[in-house]
Amino acid sequence: MRQRIAIDMDEVMADTLTKRLALYLAEFGEEIPAESLHGKKIYDAVAEERRDAVSSQLRVAGFFRDIPLMVGARGVLAELMERYEVFITTAAMEYPNSFTEKYEWIKEHLPFFPDSHIVFCGDKSIIHADFLIDDTPHHFSRFAGQGILFTAPHNVNESRYQRVDSWSDVRKRFLGEPLT
Amino acid sequence: MRQRIAIDMDEVMADTLTKRLALYLAEFGEEIPAESLHGKKIYDAVAEERRDAVSSQLRVAGFFRDIPLMVGARGVLAELMERYEVFITTAAMEYPNSFTEKYEWIKEHLPFFPDSHIVFCGDKSIIHADFLIDDTPHHFSRFAGQGILFTAPHNVNESRYQRVDSWSDVRKRFLGEPLT
């Protein structure tokens, strides 16, 4: 039986942070400096009076539909699927408005990916897989397989888990050296 | 750590068959005889020229929103949650129109159930649980825990799995004798 990899969406397959920073700029007319996001979620990096606005971004209809694909995600995902059984596992229950948008996003950007291997969940300890590639360390605490931390600004200080910095890194970790 | 039970929705928590039979009666002006459903899905129990209509039932907007709760499901679920970690795991990816309807159905009928423990999936081998209560035997074939078949007319000839006939049976199997 092939090993099984579960892969998160936001900040792993989808470049959610880039979209959130653009929305912040549009709303407040200023950028969030990159250094202030190190080790912090965007919510904790902004002034207190802007936190409600930042939280609300995720509940706006359409938010999850047009997030950019993360660089390299599509090609490496397709390659992984040749050697592993791959599931996309996203904590969509936190944002019930996101169900259809996330599904349509996958259909648009990853049309080769089978519906049968998409999972919308909350607590990811329910996922039965050998590996979980995710940017959120708390999903690893009860996960039965191995957590692989996908680097995002908010998790740079986390040192408990094996880490990949990019999809090129995912490729190296799971498929060895790039094809020549 | 508490044992974990994953529970299906359609024909287990939700009485989907009753709704489908009512829709069939409304559309064709006749009932499907109970005996013709033994060992068969509704699709296979009707005349060939009516199969498209029967399949289409599930794709009509609103179909999954007003299905009756299965008798006994709510009370036993609440009791199970006191002794086990319980997830609701439904193959919603087969009907992407169902996401919001299924979520709202759970919120209405099982308001005490946590979002974090709802899973919309396709292939249920991704579920990491000790038990899976489901009416569809094929979900057990690659499931790592123990499959518990919830009796439905279509599965009466299946003999490979432990079976429960009702929510009262689920209670006996997982909680022992009823409280007096």
Side-chain angles (χ1 to χ4, degrees):
Chain A
M1 210 164 75
R2 289 186 296 172
Q3 283 192 300
R4 183 180 282 183
I5 306 176
I7 305 177
D8 179 37
M9 282 180 78
D10 293 304
E11 301 202 46
V12 177
M13 297 294 310
D15 191 356
T16 313
L17 181 60
T18 289
K19 171 153 184 188
R20 296 191 73 179
L21 295 176
L23 288 175
Y24 184 89
L25 175 62
E27 182 161 0
F28 296 109
E30 59 186 51
E31 292 187 329
I32 301 175
E35 61 273 19
S36 70
L37 288 165
H38 274 232
K40 286 183 190 166
K41 293 270 192 180
I42 184 169
Y43 179 89
D44 297 305
V46 302
E48 205 171 329
E49 65 272 19
R50 294 181 178 179
R51 287 182 181 166
D52 280 353
V54 159
S55 290
S56 300
Q57 290 177 339
L58 302 165
R59 287 187 289 272
V60 172
F63 176 83
F64 291 94
R65 185 61 188 86
D66 65 351
I67 297 177
L69 189 66
M70 196 73 93
V71 174
R74 181 183 162 124
V76 177
L77 180 73
E79 283 185 82
L80 287 175
M81 290 169 68
E82 292 174 13
R83 199 174 306 175
Y84 297 88
E85 184 174 13
V86 180
F87 284 77
I88 293 177
T89 57
T90 176
M93 292 302 150
E94 294 171 19
Y95 303 99
N97 61 296
S98 73
F99 299 145
T100 302
E101 296 171 16
K102 280 177 178 271
Y103 179 79
E104 290 177 351
W105 188 95
I106 293 170
K107 295 289 104 182
E108 178 188 342
H109 293 286
L110 311 165
F112 53 84
F113 197 84
D115 284 5
S116 59
H117 283 54
I118 301 171
V119 184
F120 292 171
C121 59
D123 182 331
K124 292 192 185 177
S125 70
I126 194 63
I127 301 299
H128 182 63
D130 299 290
F131 303 98
L132 170 60
I133 303 176
D134 208 297
D135 68 301
T136 303
H138 83 74
H139 286 310
F140 300 151
S141 61
R142 297 201 306 150
F143 175 62
Q146 183 182 354
I148 306 280
L149 192 64
F150 195 98
T151 297
H154 70 83
N155 69 30
V156 291
N157 299 322
E158 176 60 66
S159 60
R160 289 173 293 172
Y161 305 103
Q162 198 176 114
R163 179 187 286 278
V164 286
D165 289 333
S166 64
W167 276 92
S168 165
D169 251 14
V170 172
R171 195 180 190 295
K172 278 188 214 139
R173 167 65 181 79
F174 288 98
L175 297 166
E177 290 306 303
L179 298 171
T180 52
Chain B
M1 208 164 76
R2 290 187 296 173
Q3 284 192 300
R4 182 178 283 181
I5 306 177
I7 305 177
D8 178 38
M9 281 180 77
D10 292 306
E11 301 202 47
V12 177
M13 296 293 312
D15 191 357
T16 313
L17 181 60
T18 289
K19 171 153 183 186
R20 298 191 71 178
L21 294 176
L23 288 175
Y24 185 89
L25 175 61
E27 182 161 359
F28 297 109
E30 60 186 50
E31 292 187 327
I32 300 175
E35 60 273 19
S36 71
L37 288 165
H38 274 233
K40 285 184 191 167
K41 292 271 192 181
I42 184 169
Y43 178 90
D44 297 305
V46 303
E48 204 170 330
E49 64 273 18
R50 294 182 177 179
R51 287 184 179 166
D52 280 352
V54 159
S55 290
S56 301
Q57 290 178 337
L58 302 165
R59 287 187 289 273
V60 171
F63 175 83
F64 290 95
R65 185 61 189 83
D66 64 351
I67 298 175
L69 189 66
M70 196 73 93
V71 173
R74 181 184 162 124
V76 177
L77 179 73
E79 283 186 81
L80 286 175
M81 289 168 69
E82 292 173 12
R83 201 175 304 177
Y84 298 87
E85 184 174 14
V86 179
F87 284 76
I88 293 176
T89 56
T90 177
M93 292 302 149
E94 294 172 19
Y95 303 99
N97 61 298
S98 73
F99 300 145
T100 301
E101 295 171 17
K102 281 177 178 271
Y103 179 80
E104 290 177 350
W105 188 95
I106 294 171
K107 295 288 104 184
E108 178 188 340
H109 292 286
L110 312 165
F112 53 85
F113 197 84
D115 284 4
S116 60
H117 284 53
I118 301 170
V119 183
F120 292 171
C121 58
D123 181 331
K124 291 193 185 178
S125 71
I126 193 64
I127 300 300
H128 181 63
D130 299 290
F131 303 98
L132 170 60
I133 303 176
D134 209 297
D135 68 301
T136 304
H138 82 74
H139 287 309
F140 301 151
S141 60
R142 297 202 305 151
F143 174 63
Q146 183 183 353
I148 306 279
L149 192 65
F150 195 98
T151 296
H154 70 82
N155 68 31
V156 292
N157 298 323
E158 176 61 65
S159 60
R160 289 172 294 170
Y161 305 103
Q162 199 177 111
R163 179 186 287 277
V164 287
D165 289 334
S166 63
W167 276 91
S168 167
D169 250 15
V170 172
R171 195 180 189 294
K172 278 189 214 141
R173 168 67 181 76
F174 288 98
L175 298 165
E177 289 306 302
L179 297 169
T180 54

